[in-house]
């Protein structure tokens, strides 16, 4: 069975091949949620528990001896809602919050400027009922999937707030987020890899969004590989899959091949 290997990066995702099968006995697996193992919906709340995804994650947790973490932009409580509390190890808010396999929680403090940013973003969004403001504590997301025509105004507002309040800004798929200083997804993966049960194995990370590039770079530094799901762009991932269905099919095929 071939090993996952690092590709020369960055490369256009269209030029990347599908990943070879994982070696489940020596892999630590990290998965983004939305756009990776769950389809993107109009609002975050529209994504909920899913029977097929539950079976897949349960099987992966068992076969990987717990070396599975979901690393997402969602808050911890929202990840538990969608995943039905079945995945112990979680990286949330793009790395600003993290729960270890044994239940310890680490979270960046919500800086005071975040409250000012939240108030300004809510005031802006009040004029358009199709905009959604998601308060995650140390981060605030402004979703414009239902009003794509106001994307430039949303980006301009959040970028100005970031500059004025000395906060970080990151863009996603039809969303822009402002956040307090702290770890990103790569930092969360590196922290997991320094502790049981992940330490000593090869990290592999599947993600779809621009914020997942931090994770791809982290696993590459640690001798592992990233798999970009669906995105068409220059990427630090080593392999690519065309979408959520392909990512889930690949993971299920790995389980079947090593059954």
């Amino acid at each position: 069975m071939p090993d996952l290997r690092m590709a020369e990066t960055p490369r256009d995702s269209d030029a990347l091949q599908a990943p070879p099968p994982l070696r489940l006995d020596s892999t630590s697996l990290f998965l983004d949620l939305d756009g990776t193992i769950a389809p993107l919906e109009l609002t975050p709340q529209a994504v909920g528990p899913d029977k097929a995804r539950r079976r897949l994650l349960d099987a992966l947790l068992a076969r990987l001896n717990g070396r599975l973490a979901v690393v997402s932009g969602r808050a911890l409580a929202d990840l538990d809602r969608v995943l039905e509390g079945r995945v112990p190890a979680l990286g949330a808010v793009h790395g600003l919050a993290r729960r270890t396999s044994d239940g310890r929680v680490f979270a960046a403090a919500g800086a005071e400027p975040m409250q000012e940013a939240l108030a300004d973003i809510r005031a802006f969004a009040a004029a358009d009922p199709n905009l959604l403001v998601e308060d995650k504590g140390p981060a605030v997301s402004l979703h414009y999937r239902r009003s794509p025509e106001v994307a430039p105004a949303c980006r301009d507002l959040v970028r100005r707030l970031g500059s004025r309040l000395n906060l970080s800004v990151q863009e996603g798929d039809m969303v822009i987020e402002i956040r307090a200083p702290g770890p990103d997804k790569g930092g969360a993966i590196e922290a997991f890899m320094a502790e049981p049960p992940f330490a000593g194995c090869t990290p592999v990370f599947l993600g779809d969004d621009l914020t997942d590039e931090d994770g791809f770079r982290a696993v590459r530094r640690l001798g592992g590989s990233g798999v970009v799901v669906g995105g068409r762009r220059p990427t630090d991932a080593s392999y690519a899959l065309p979408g959520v269905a392909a990512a889930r099919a690949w993971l299920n095929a790995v389980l079947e091949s090593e059954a």
Side-chain angles (χ1 to χ4, degrees), residues 63 74 89 108 110 114 139 145 180 212:
R63 298 286 295 283
R74 290 178 181 261
M114 288 303 307
R145 187 175 298 277
D212 296 315

Side-chain angles (χ1 to χ4, degrees), residues 13 82 194 198:
S13 57
V82 175
F198 302 94

Side-chain angles (χ1 to χ4, degrees), residues 1-5 19-30 60 63-65 67-68 198 200-204 206 223-225 227 239 250-251 253-255 257-259:
M1 183 183 302
D3 290 327
L4 291 171
R5 293 185 180 274
L22 295 173
R23 298 176 61 99
L24 293 178
D25 60 346
S26 59
T27 295
S28 289
L29 183 62
F30 301 93
L60 286 169
R63 298 286 295 283
L64 289 162
N65 292 319
R67 297 186 308 276
L68 170 70
F198 302 94
C201 289
T202 302
V204 174
L206 276 68
S225 299
V227 181
Y239 299 96
W250 178 69
L251 291 167
V254 169
L255 290 166
S257 68
E258 293 205 0

Side-chain angles (χ1 to χ4, degrees), residues 127-138:
D128 186 341
N130 287 321
L131 293 177
L132 174 65
V133 179
E134 188 179 8
D135 179 10
K136 305 176 185 177

Side-chain angles (χ1 to χ4, degrees), residues 133-167:
V133 179
E134 188 179 8
D135 179 10
K136 305 176 185 177
V140 178
S141 295
L142 178 57
H143 297 263
Y144 48 85
R145 187 175 298 277
R146 295 183 296 179
S147 280
E149 68 279 3
V150 300
C154 292
R155 296 190 193 109
D156 180 65
L157 169 74
V158 175
R159 287 169 181 163
R160 283 189 287 106
L161 287 171
S163 178
R164 190 179 88 224
L165 300 173
N166 197 28
L167 297 170

